[in-house]
Amino acid sequence: MGNGTKTLGQLGLTARGGREAHITGLAVDSRQVRDGFLFAALPGTRVHGGEFIQYALRMGAGAILTDAEGARIAADELGGSEAALVIAEDPRQALAFTAALWFGAQPETMIAVTGTNGKTSVASFVRHIWQELGHSAVNVGTTGVEGDWETPLAHTTPEPITLHRVLSQAAEAGVTHAAMEASSHGLAQRRLDGVHLRAAGFTNFTQDHLDYHASFEEYFDAKAGLFARVLPDDGAAVVNIADARGVDMAAIARARGQDVLTVGDVEGADIWLAAQRFDATGQEIRVVHEGVARQVRLKLIGGFQGENVLLAAGLVIACGAEPEDVFETLPALRTVRGRMQLAATRENGAAVFVDYAHTPDAVATAIQALRPHVMGRLVVIVGAGGDRDRSKRPLMGMAAAEHADLVIVTDDNPRSEDPAAIRAAVMEGAGEATEVGDRAEAILRGVDALGAGDALLICGKGHETGQIVGDVVYPFDDVEQASVAVAALDGRLP
Ligand SMILES: CC(=O)N[C@H]1[C@@H](OP(=O)(O)OP(=O)(O)OC[C@H]2O[C@@H](n3ccc(=O)[nH]c3=O)[C@H](O)[C@@H]2O)O[C@H](CO)[C@@H](O)[C@@H]1O[C@H](C)C(=O)N[C@@H](C)C(=O)N[C@H](CCC(=O)O)C(=O)O
Ligand SMILES: Nc1ncnc2c1ncn2[C@@H]1O[C@H](COP(=O)(O)OP(=O)(O)OP(=O)(O)O)[C@@H](O)[C@H]1O
Ligand SMILES: N[C@H](CCC[C@H](N)C(=O)O)C(=O)O
Ligand SMILES: [Mg+2]
């Protein structure tokens, strides 16, 4: 890992019997263990990592970090081994702290944002505002690490070893400010417990990920962990109180003694979104902060982007920036790739937008958000991913049917599932929708349906550049397909 060696003591760990070890690297997957590594044998959703301790020892592991269950599973192998054994009540959290100490540096000023929708948007707006203020900044999340230092990521909130590797590399490259997304999986699995946060933000809370979290409340508790556990007592909580669960989140933060800055279209919010006016290319918002009202032009589509922008502004202010300077940067903000992005325009003026909405609420919100910007009919393309929450499928179809004028149901990422069965589940809620399995053809049909003043919204894949069918990822980009369809139908070259 290129960091030399560190002792268990230097990594904040105490082994059974006080045994010391010189650690050469960290791994959560036994197959990545090398000579002298610390192997974290974590309880999993399918299997306990303790099952792989024997293998890790054979690969030369110098220390094992696990819980009582892992130690019990591998009692025989551990008994006959020289490796140090660290037993932690919460080994995922212990690994997060250890990874932070292993990699050392992290950007000086960090914030994290959680909520069902808007995390990527808010994190990227925070990064952009920091850059406008002259700081070297990145955002970390679904779209990878972006900004003054870049790298792709496989997960929204990467596991601690990857997370602290990229944070330390960014810090070494001179990045002083980082805004990260805290996914509910990431919070539940303690992936960001080793990050030093100055502030944390909350966007909203609706249905998602019930495939992973046992209940709505468990999902909420996972998100609440950002304020209840990860953000220190002297950190600042920036909360959208227009969402009912935002009020609960603010109470959790206050109970910790954290400073709470409230945001939203609620009179009395510290940063009050007092009014919004929409047009074809963006919106005008009226913001009231500390008794001062300001009018700001945003080149962003969708009322919720106004909320996201103000949450981002609140986070930057909570980290110490001058409010006046922060509000001045807002007209420079541009949408995140694949979020209410204008992808193409037909000769007759009809516009095609691409959005990452992949939950029932996000589909409804995206369509409703686009409506005030559009004079004519709204055509919507919708589909759901395989190997993910099944209960959301008919609800996504229903949301599209309820809010759009014309709906086309198509494939998203089928993954290991039968695409026709996923479409059938979406169609169940989608009423009179047209079913077109092939996504490129669905986009072509959607674009073909557009008259002057109409708009097409392609939901579900946003910034993604591939379609996952089985184990294969086929190149596919909604923005590109939209341009191709418009060019083909309008008789131009793309
Ligand atoms: C559902 C989920 O979150 N799973 C995470 C979890 O794995 P798991 O509990 O399923 O692992 P398991 O297969 O039961 O195995 C248990 C342990 O044995 C280890 N193992 C396994 C096999 C082996 O040969 N050797 C070995 O050591 C595994 O590394 C693991 O630590 O713990 C692993 C190690 O920390 C994670 O890598 C893994 O994330 C997987 C890759 C994943 O796909 N996660 C997704 C769902 C995710 O986290 N998504 C969120 C949010 C997305 C969104 O908002 O839409 C994200 O932040 O990206
Ligand atoms: N504040 C908001 N309120 C409601 N819906 C929103 C909001 N912000 C974004 N959305 C919708 O949710 C979709 C996802 O936005 P974004 O990528 O910013 O969220 P996210 O929380 O990072 O999502 P993910 O869980 O996939 O990482 C957008 O395409 C948009 O349709
Ligand atoms: N990161 C999320 C969003 C996926 C969006 C959609 N395109 C899908 O494949 O379901 C997930 O993996 O659940
Ligand atoms: Mg995201």
Side-chain angles (χ1 to χ4, degrees):
M1 283 189 170
N3 285 54
T5 69
K6 286 194 166 79
T7 63
L8 289 174
Q10 288 170 321
L11 295 175
L13 299 172
T14 309
R16 207 163 57 172
R19 196 176 289 191
E20 218 5 309
H22 293 272
I23 301 302
T24 59
L26 312 176
V28 277
D29 189 313
S30 54
R31 291 161 291 195
Q32 285 161 12
V33 171
R34 301 283 171 271
D35 220 23
F37 267 41
L38 174 121
F39 171 56
L42 307 172
T45 49
R46 279 168 299 215
V47 56
H48 196 295
E51 302 287 350
F52 306 101
I53 290 177
Q54 183 178 18
Y55 185 83
L57 291 172
R58 224 182 308 132
M59 298 291 282
I64 305 292
L65 166 64
T66 190
D67 57 8
E69 172 70 4
R72 194 192 54 75
I73 293 170
D76 290 349
E77 295 82 16
L78 286 164
S81 158
E82 286 296 301
L85 173 64
V86 182
I87 298 179
E89 206 161 304
D90 186 343
R92 285 190 182 271
Q93 187 179 52
L95 174 68
F97 295 150
T98 296
L101 290 167
W102 174 263
F103 288 101
Q106 25 185 298
E108 248 165 68
T109 305
M110 293 201 50
I111 67 99
V113 56
T114 196
T116 307
N117 294 305
K119 298 182 293 295
T120 303
S121 303
V122 172
S124 102
F125 292 149
V126 168
R127 182 261 297 176
H128 199 162
I129 297 172
W130 274 332
Q131 287 179 314
E132 289 290 317
L133 295 175
H135 301 296
S136 179
V138 293
N139 56 287
V140 180
T142 317
T143 47
V145 183
E146 299 179 311
D148 287 303
W149 186 84
E150 305 206 325
T151 193
L153 292 174
H155 289 102
T156 292
T157 305
E159 42 72 32
I161 303 175
T162 305
L163 177 61
H164 287 284
R165 177 189 298 120
V166 301
L167 290 178
S168 67
Q169 287 174 341
E172 277 153 25
V175 170
T176 53
H177 290 64
M180 61 178 295
E181 283 179 60
S183 69
S184 57
H185 292 76
L187 285 164
Q189 294 172 21
R190 312 293 192 252
R191 293 180 196 161
L192 66 161
D193 281 30
V195 174
H196 302 305
L197 295 177
R198 184 81 65 87
F202 174 79
T203 59
N204 48 55
F205 183 77
T206 51
Q207 171 166 359
D208 199 7
H209 299 310
L210 292 184
D211 49 335
Y212 177 76
H213 302 283
S215 67
F216 224 50
E217 278 318 299
E218 200 185 276
Y219 175 45
F220 179 80
D221 289 345
K223 295 208 174 291
L226 182 59
F227 303 91
R229 187 184 72 249
V230 186
L231 182 68
D233 295 349
D234 62 357
V238 185
V239 179
N240 170 25
I241 53 163
D243 186 287
R245 301 312 296 264
V247 178
D248 300 338
M249 218 44 111
I252 290 170
R254 283 198 192 94
R256 286 280 315 276
Q258 292 156 355
D259 280 338
V260 176
L261 186 73
T262 58
V263 179
D265 60 354
V266 178
E267 192 166 357
D270 297 319
I271 300 181
W272 175 29
L273 176 55
Q276 278 172 296
R277 192 169 57 203
F278 307 97
D279 56 49
T281 58
Q283 59 193 287
E284 194 94 22
I285 60 171
R286 187 176 160 80
V287 189
V288 183
H289 175 249
E290 291 179 344
V292 183
R294 295 176 177 85
Q295 201 116 325
V296 181
R297 160 110 197 132
L298 302 177
K299 277 197 110 166
L300 299 166
I301 299 288
F304 62 78
Q305 291 288 35
E307 296 173 22
N308 289 340
V309 163
L310 291 191
L311 189 70
L315 283 160
V316 175
I317 291 168
C319 290
E322 272 307 316
E324 184 62 42
D325 298 343
V326 173
F327 289 117
E328 266 174 28
T329 66
L330 305 186
L333 299 180
R334 292 293 172 268
T335 186
V336 180
R337 209 151 34 92
R339 271 70 178 171
M340 297 308 254
Q341 181 182 350
L342 176 62
T345 309
R346 289 203 66 170
E347 246 157 39
N348 63 12
V352 184
F353 294 92
V354 167
D355 191 77
Y356 195 41
H358 56 263
T359 65
D361 180 69
V363 169
T365 308
I367 303 171
Q368 285 172 303
L370 189 52
R371 189 64 85 177
H373 300 271
V374 181
M375 307 261 260
R377 288 180 323 154
L378 231 167
V379 183
V380 167
I381 295 179
V382 68
D387 303 336
R388 297 288 185 271
D389 184 3
R390 288 163 187 256
S391 68
K392 75 178 181 183
R393 294 172 188 171
L395 300 177
M396 287 175 72
M398 208 182 293
E402 191 183 333
H403 299 285
D405 300 305
L406 186 74
V407 178
I408 301 175
V409 172
T410 191
D411 290 342
D412 191 290
N413 293 311
R415 300 195 175 84
S416 74
E417 290 191 54
D418 171 18
I422 302 175
R423 288 198 306 275
V426 177
M427 284 296 289
E428 238 174 73
E432 301 296 293
T434 309
E435 185 180 333
V436 183
D438 183 84
R439 195 168 176 95
E441 192 191 330
I443 292 174
L444 190 69
R445 293 240 223 143
V447 171
D448 196 28
L450 299 179
D454 294 347
L456 170 65
L457 177 65
I458 306 170
C459 295
K461 290 177 61 62
H463 64 283
E464 294 174 2
T465 52
Q467 186 174 32
I468 312 168
V469 185
D471 290 331
V472 186
V473 184
Y474 296 95
F476 197 97
D477 183 329
D478 282 350
V479 173
E480 203 175 280
Q481 288 300 325
S483 311
V484 169
V486 165
L489 290 163
D490 286 347
R492 288 184 270 138
L493 288 173

